[in-house]
Amino acid sequence: MSNIDPTPGYPPYDQPPTGGHSADRQAAARRTALVVCTVADVAAGLLCLWIVLYLLDANQANAFVEFVHGAANGLSGWAQDIFTMDTEGLRVVLNHGLPAVVYLLIGHGIAARINRA
């Protein structure tokens, strides 16, 4: 099997695909938007995971719980103590939930803007 040519109708491997630069830019924009969405989703997911672990009274000496707690505190550092409720659980939900919503809104908004460009 020495035939390494692509399927008929496709450009050879050593030449860029035809279709112009706008198709390449659109593909790059879609990939960039996907990366932005993924980063925002992971950040919001870590924050929500910490909220769930806290509300379920997870063992905070566990390495995984420590990791999630540290990541959540790093991601929500700018929003710490915005809400000072007497109920600790409600305080954690609000102080970590607000950044999660902000990351989702901003991340997906930026991704939508990139896709329109």
Side-chain angles (χ1 to χ4, degrees):
M1 299 200 74
S2 63
N3 185 3
I4 59 170
D5 289 336
T7 306
Y10 289 94
Y13 293 118
D14 59 348
Q15 295 178 1
T18 58
H21 294 288
S22 68
D24 293 340
R25 278 190 295 231
Q26 284 179 337
R30 281 193 302 271
R31 284 191 300 272
T32 303
L34 180 63
V35 168
V36 170
C37 280
T38 302
V39 170
D41 291 346
V42 167
L46 281 169
L47 289 164
C48 290
L49 182 58
W50 169 243
I51 292 169
V52 169
L53 289 172
Y54 182 84
L55 293 177
L56 294 176
D57 199 25
N59 178 9
Q60 295 196 16
N62 180 282
F64 176 72
V65 176
E66 285 181 3
F67 168 76
V68 173
H69 186 207
N73 281 342
L75 289 168
S76 66
W78 59 269
Q80 287 301 310
D81 298 327
I82 287 180
F83 302 101
T84 55
M85 308 297 202
D86 291 333
T87 308
E88 185 70 16
L90 183 59
R91 188 185 62 77
V92 169
V93 168
L94 293 175
N95 285 328
H96 289 84
L98 175 66
V101 170
V102 169
Y103 287 135
L104 287 175
L105 290 175
I106 290 175
H108 286 263
I110 289 171
R113 177 75 177 137
I114 290 170
N115 273 331
R116 276 190 268 136

mmCIF file of all heavy atoms in Angstrom, residues 43-51 65-80 92 95-96 99 103:
data_model
loop_
_atom_site.group_PDB
_atom_site.id
_atom_site.type_symbol
_atom_site.label_atom_id
_atom_site.label_comp_id
_atom_site.label_asym_id
_atom_site.label_seq_id
_atom_site.Cartn_x
_atom_site.Cartn_y
_atom_site.Cartn_z
ATOM 1 N N ALA A 43 -14.235 26.783 35.193
ATOM 2 C CA ALA A 43 -14.192 27.664 36.365
ATOM 3 C C ALA A 43 -15.516 27.611 37.124
ATOM 4 O O ALA A 43 -15.547 27.439 38.350
ATOM 5 C CB ALA A 43 -13.865 29.091 35.940
ATOM 6 N N ALA A 44 -16.620 27.742 36.401
ATOM 7 C CA ALA A 44 -17.934 27.693 37.045
ATOM 8 C C ALA A 44 -18.197 26.313 37.642
ATOM 9 O O ALA A 44 -18.780 26.204 38.727
ATOM 10 C CB ALA A 44 -19.024 28.044 36.034
ATOM 11 N N GLY A 45 -17.736 25.273 36.967
ATOM 12 C CA GLY A 45 -17.921 23.921 37.481
ATOM 13 C C GLY A 45 -17.174 23.689 38.783
ATOM 14 O O GLY A 45 -17.709 23.061 39.712
ATOM 15 N N LEU A 46 -15.953 24.190 38.878
ATOM 16 C CA LEU A 46 -15.199 24.057 40.129
ATOM 17 C C LEU A 46 -15.886 24.806 41.267
ATOM 18 O O LEU A 46 -15.960 24.310 42.392
ATOM 19 C CB LEU A 46 -13.778 24.574 39.949
ATOM 20 C CG LEU A 46 -12.812 23.629 39.250
ATOM 21 C CD1 LEU A 46 -11.518 24.339 38.882
ATOM 22 C CD2 LEU A 46 -12.519 22.423 40.126
ATOM 23 N N LEU A 47 -16.402 25.994 40.965
ATOM 24 C CA LEU A 47 -17.101 26.756 41.996
ATOM 25 C C LEU A 47 -18.360 26.036 42.454
ATOM 26 O O LEU A 47 -18.632 25.935 43.657
ATOM 27 C CB LEU A 47 -17.435 28.157 41.479
ATOM 28 C CG LEU A 47 -16.219 29.078 41.331
ATOM 29 C CD1 LEU A 47 -16.563 30.278 40.462
ATOM 30 C CD2 LEU A 47 -15.707 29.510 42.682
ATOM 31 N N CYS A 48 -19.116 25.517 41.517
ATOM 32 C CA CYS A 48 -20.346 24.790 41.876
ATOM 33 C C CYS A 48 -20.023 23.493 42.611
ATOM 34 O O CYS A 48 -20.740 23.110 43.542
ATOM 35 C CB CYS A 48 -21.172 24.513 40.624
ATOM 36 S SG CYS A 48 -21.904 26.002 39.916
ATOM 37 N N LEU A 49 -18.951 22.836 42.206
ATOM 38 C CA LEU A 49 -18.551 21.613 42.892
ATOM 39 C C LEU A 49 -18.186 21.906 44.346
ATOM 40 O O LEU A 49 -18.555 21.151 45.246
ATOM 41 C CB LEU A 49 -17.381 20.944 42.168
ATOM 42 C CG LEU A 49 -16.885 19.634 42.740
ATOM 43 C CD1 LEU A 49 -17.999 18.589 42.792
ATOM 44 C CD2 LEU A 49 -15.706 19.116 41.923
ATOM 45 N N TRP A 50 -17.491 23.010 44.587
ATOM 46 C CA TRP A 50 -17.171 23.362 45.969
ATOM 47 C C TRP A 50 -18.440 23.629 46.771
ATOM 48 O O TRP A 50 -18.554 23.227 47.919
ATOM 49 C CB TRP A 50 -16.231 24.554 46.045
ATOM 50 C CG TRP A 50 -16.137 25.057 47.448
ATOM 51 C CD1 TRP A 50 -16.511 26.264 47.912
ATOM 52 C CD2 TRP A 50 -15.696 24.311 48.592
ATOM 53 N NE1 TRP A 50 -16.324 26.335 49.276
ATOM 54 C CE2 TRP A 50 -15.823 25.142 49.728
ATOM 55 C CE3 TRP A 50 -15.207 23.027 48.783
ATOM 56 C CZ2 TRP A 50 -15.483 24.737 51.005
ATOM 57 C CZ3 TRP A 50 -14.867 22.619 50.064
ATOM 58 C CH2 TRP A 50 -15.001 23.457 51.152
ATOM 59 N N ILE A 51 -19.405 24.325 46.160
ATOM 60 C CA ILE A 51 -20.667 24.592 46.856
ATOM 61 C C ILE A 51 -21.332 23.275 47.265
ATOM 62 O O ILE A 51 -21.762 23.107 48.406
ATOM 63 C CB ILE A 51 -21.611 25.440 45.982
ATOM 64 C CG1 ILE A 51 -21.043 26.850 45.815
ATOM 65 C CG2 ILE A 51 -23.009 25.499 46.581
ATOM 66 C CD1 ILE A 51 -21.762 27.685 44.765
ATOM 67 N N VAL A 65 -11.009 17.252 48.024
ATOM 68 C CA VAL A 65 -11.817 18.338 48.571
ATOM 69 C C VAL A 65 -10.940 19.560 48.818
ATOM 70 O O VAL A 65 -11.345 20.698 48.528
ATOM 71 C CB VAL A 65 -12.551 17.892 49.853
ATOM 72 C CG1 VAL A 65 -13.315 19.040 50.480
ATOM 73 C CG2 VAL A 65 -13.493 16.732 49.542
ATOM 74 N N GLU A 66 -9.729 19.357 49.316
ATOM 75 C CA GLU A 66 -8.795 20.469 49.509
ATOM 76 C C GLU A 66 -8.463 21.153 48.194
ATOM 77 O O GLU A 66 -8.393 22.382 48.110
ATOM 78 C CB GLU A 66 -7.505 19.985 50.159
ATOM 79 C CG GLU A 66 -7.614 19.687 51.629
ATOM 80 C CD GLU A 66 -6.290 19.222 52.220
ATOM 81 O OE1 GLU A 66 -5.270 19.181 51.495
ATOM 82 O OE2 GLU A 66 -6.284 18.888 53.410
ATOM 83 N N PHE A 67 -8.249 20.352 47.138
ATOM 84 C CA PHE A 67 -7.947 20.912 45.828
ATOM 85 C C PHE A 67 -9.105 21.766 45.318
ATOM 86 O O PHE A 67 -8.912 22.894 44.848
ATOM 87 C CB PHE A 67 -7.626 19.805 44.820
ATOM 88 C CG PHE A 67 -7.597 20.291 43.398
ATOM 89 C CD1 PHE A 67 -6.516 21.011 42.932
ATOM 90 C CD2 PHE A 67 -8.660 20.049 42.547
ATOM 91 C CE1 PHE A 67 -6.492 21.491 41.630
ATOM 92 C CE2 PHE A 67 -8.653 20.517 41.249
ATOM 93 C CZ PHE A 67 -7.562 21.239 40.779
ATOM 94 N N VAL A 68 -10.315 21.211 45.380
ATOM 95 C CA VAL A 68 -11.489 21.944 44.889
ATOM 96 C C VAL A 68 -11.699 23.215 45.712
ATOM 97 O O VAL A 68 -11.984 24.277 45.151
ATOM 98 C CB VAL A 68 -12.748 21.040 44.924
ATOM 99 C CG1 VAL A 68 -13.999 21.831 44.594
ATOM 100 C CG2 VAL A 68 -12.586 19.874 43.957
ATOM 101 N N HIS A 69 -11.525 23.123 47.024
ATOM 102 C CA HIS A 69 -11.678 24.288 47.893
ATOM 103 C C HIS A 69 -10.655 25.369 47.541
ATOM 104 O O HIS A 69 -10.996 26.560 47.431
ATOM 105 C CB HIS A 69 -11.549 23.882 49.355
ATOM 106 C CG HIS A 69 -11.825 24.987 50.311
ATOM 107 N ND1 HIS A 69 -11.269 25.024 51.555
ATOM 108 C CD2 HIS A 69 -12.575 26.108 50.207
ATOM 109 C CE1 HIS A 69 -11.667 26.121 52.186
ATOM 110 N NE2 HIS A 69 -12.464 26.789 51.385
ATOM 111 N N GLY A 70 -9.412 24.980 47.350
ATOM 112 C CA GLY A 70 -8.367 25.944 46.981
ATOM 113 C C GLY A 70 -8.629 26.589 45.636
ATOM 114 O O GLY A 70 -8.467 27.808 45.470
ATOM 115 N N ALA A 71 -9.036 25.777 44.666
ATOM 116 C CA ALA A 71 -9.341 26.317 43.336
ATOM 117 C C ALA A 71 -10.533 27.262 43.401
ATOM 118 O O ALA A 71 -10.520 28.346 42.786
ATOM 119 C CB ALA A 71 -9.615 25.176 42.361
ATOM 120 N N ALA A 72 -11.556 26.886 44.139
ATOM 121 C CA ALA A 72 -12.746 27.730 44.257
ATOM 122 C C ALA A 72 -12.417 29.045 44.954
ATOM 123 O O ALA A 72 -12.890 30.107 44.545
ATOM 124 C CB ALA A 72 -13.846 26.990 45.008
ATOM 125 N N ASN A 73 -11.592 28.982 45.996
ATOM 126 C CA ASN A 73 -11.202 30.212 46.679
ATOM 127 C C ASN A 73 -10.372 31.112 45.772
ATOM 128 O O ASN A 73 -10.509 32.333 45.803
ATOM 129 C CB ASN A 73 -10.439 29.906 47.969
ATOM 130 C CG ASN A 73 -11.364 29.528 49.093
ATOM 131 O OD1 ASN A 73 -12.562 29.790 49.048
ATOM 132 N ND2 ASN A 73 -10.807 28.894 50.108
ATOM 133 N N GLY A 74 -9.519 30.524 44.963
ATOM 134 C CA GLY A 74 -8.737 31.315 44.015
ATOM 135 C C GLY A 74 -9.607 31.968 42.956
ATOM 136 O O GLY A 74 -9.404 33.133 42.598
ATOM 137 N N LEU A 75 -10.582 31.222 42.467
ATOM 138 C CA LEU A 75 -11.457 31.752 41.424
ATOM 139 C C LEU A 75 -12.447 32.794 41.946
ATOM 140 O O LEU A 75 -12.893 33.661 41.203
ATOM 141 C CB LEU A 75 -12.230 30.607 40.756
ATOM 142 C CG LEU A 75 -11.397 29.683 39.879
ATOM 143 C CD1 LEU A 75 -12.201 28.435 39.533
ATOM 144 C CD2 LEU A 75 -10.956 30.408 38.624
ATOM 145 N N SER A 76 -12.794 32.679 43.209
ATOM 146 C CA SER A 76 -13.794 33.597 43.757
ATOM 147 C C SER A 76 -13.187 34.604 44.722
ATOM 148 O O SER A 76 -13.915 35.266 45.459
ATOM 149 C CB SER A 76 -14.895 32.805 44.469
ATOM 150 O OG SER A 76 -14.354 32.154 45.605
ATOM 151 N N GLY A 77 -11.876 34.751 44.701
ATOM 152 C CA GLY A 77 -11.210 35.662 45.620
ATOM 153 C C GLY A 77 -11.716 37.085 45.518
ATOM 154 O O GLY A 77 -11.858 37.787 46.515
ATOM 155 N N TRP A 78 -12.030 37.525 44.316
ATOM 156 C CA TRP A 78 -12.522 38.889 44.111
ATOM 157 C C TRP A 78 -13.929 39.088 44.673
ATOM 158 O O TRP A 78 -14.345 40.226 44.885
ATOM 159 C CB TRP A 78 -12.497 39.257 42.634
ATOM 160 C CG TRP A 78 -13.321 38.343 41.762
ATOM 161 C CD1 TRP A 78 -12.889 37.218 41.139
ATOM 162 C CD2 TRP A 78 -14.699 38.475 41.449
ATOM 163 N NE1 TRP A 78 -13.918 36.641 40.446
ATOM 164 C CE2 TRP A 78 -15.044 37.393 40.613
ATOM 165 C CE3 TRP A 78 -15.683 39.393 41.780
ATOM 166 C CZ2 TRP A 78 -16.330 37.214 40.116
ATOM 167 C CZ3 TRP A 78 -16.957 39.219 41.274
ATOM 168 C CH2 TRP A 78 -17.271 38.137 40.449
ATOM 169 N N ALA A 79 -14.645 38.015 44.929
ATOM 170 C CA ALA A 79 -16.028 38.122 45.402
ATOM 171 C C ALA A 79 -16.196 37.673 46.845
ATOM 172 O O ALA A 79 -17.316 37.593 47.328
ATOM 173 C CB ALA A 79 -16.949 37.301 44.507
ATOM 174 N N GLN A 80 -15.101 37.379 47.525
ATOM 175 C CA GLN A 80 -15.214 36.914 48.903
ATOM 176 C C GLN A 80 -15.804 37.997 49.797
ATOM 177 O O GLN A 80 -15.450 39.164 49.691
ATOM 178 C CB GLN A 80 -13.858 36.473 49.445
ATOM 179 C CG GLN A 80 -13.380 35.171 48.864
ATOM 180 C CD GLN A 80 -14.346 34.023 49.123
ATOM 181 O OE1 GLN A 80 -14.770 33.812 50.239
ATOM 182 N NE2 GLN A 80 -14.673 33.288 48.077
ATOM 183 N N VAL A 92 -21.624 30.710 51.675
ATOM 184 C CA VAL A 92 -20.792 29.984 50.704
ATOM 185 C C VAL A 92 -21.488 29.929 49.350
ATOM 186 O O VAL A 92 -20.861 30.150 48.308
ATOM 187 C CB VAL A 92 -20.457 28.567 51.223
ATOM 188 C CG1 VAL A 92 -19.833 27.710 50.132
ATOM 189 C CG2 VAL A 92 -19.525 28.656 52.414
ATOM 190 N N ASN A 95 -21.369 33.622 47.875
ATOM 191 C CA ASN A 95 -20.025 34.124 47.585
ATOM 192 C C ASN A 95 -19.283 33.299 46.543
ATOM 193 O O ASN A 95 -18.322 33.790 45.954
ATOM 194 C CB ASN A 95 -19.199 34.218 48.870
ATOM 195 C CG ASN A 95 -19.593 35.393 49.717
ATOM 196 O OD1 ASN A 95 -20.005 36.430 49.209
ATOM 197 N ND2 ASN A 95 -19.489 35.245 51.016
ATOM 198 N N HIS A 96 -19.698 32.062 46.307
ATOM 199 C CA HIS A 96 -19.091 31.254 45.257
ATOM 200 C C HIS A 96 -20.014 31.120 44.050
ATOM 201 O O HIS A 96 -19.552 30.887 42.931
ATOM 202 C CB HIS A 96 -18.714 29.870 45.791
ATOM 203 C CG HIS A 96 -17.548 29.908 46.724
ATOM 204 N ND1 HIS A 96 -17.674 30.203 48.058
ATOM 205 C CD2 HIS A 96 -16.230 29.693 46.518
ATOM 206 C CE1 HIS A 96 -16.492 30.167 48.629
ATOM 207 N NE2 HIS A 96 -15.593 29.862 47.718
ATOM 208 N N PRO A 99 -19.618 34.411 41.489
ATOM 209 C CA PRO A 99 -18.537 34.317 40.512
ATOM 210 C C PRO A 99 -18.793 33.259 39.433
ATOM 211 O O PRO A 99 -18.417 33.453 38.283
ATOM 212 C CB PRO A 99 -17.308 33.944 41.353
ATOM 213 C CG PRO A 99 -17.634 34.396 42.710
ATOM 214 C CD PRO A 99 -19.108 34.257 42.855
ATOM 215 N N TYR A 103 -18.604 34.210 35.592
ATOM 216 C CA TYR A 103 -17.711 33.538 34.645
ATOM 217 C C TYR A 103 -18.481 32.977 33.460
ATOM 218 O O TYR A 103 -18.033 33.082 32.305
ATOM 219 C CB TYR A 103 -16.916 32.421 35.327
ATOM 220 C CG TYR A 103 -15.827 32.925 36.238
ATOM 221 C CD1 TYR A 103 -15.650 32.379 37.495
ATOM 222 C CD2 TYR A 103 -14.967 33.947 35.858
ATOM 223 C CE1 TYR A 103 -14.655 32.828 38.346
ATOM 224 C CE2 TYR A 103 -13.977 34.414 36.696
ATOM 225 C CZ TYR A 103 -13.816 33.853 37.935
ATOM 226 O OH TYR A 103 -12.835 34.313 38.770
#
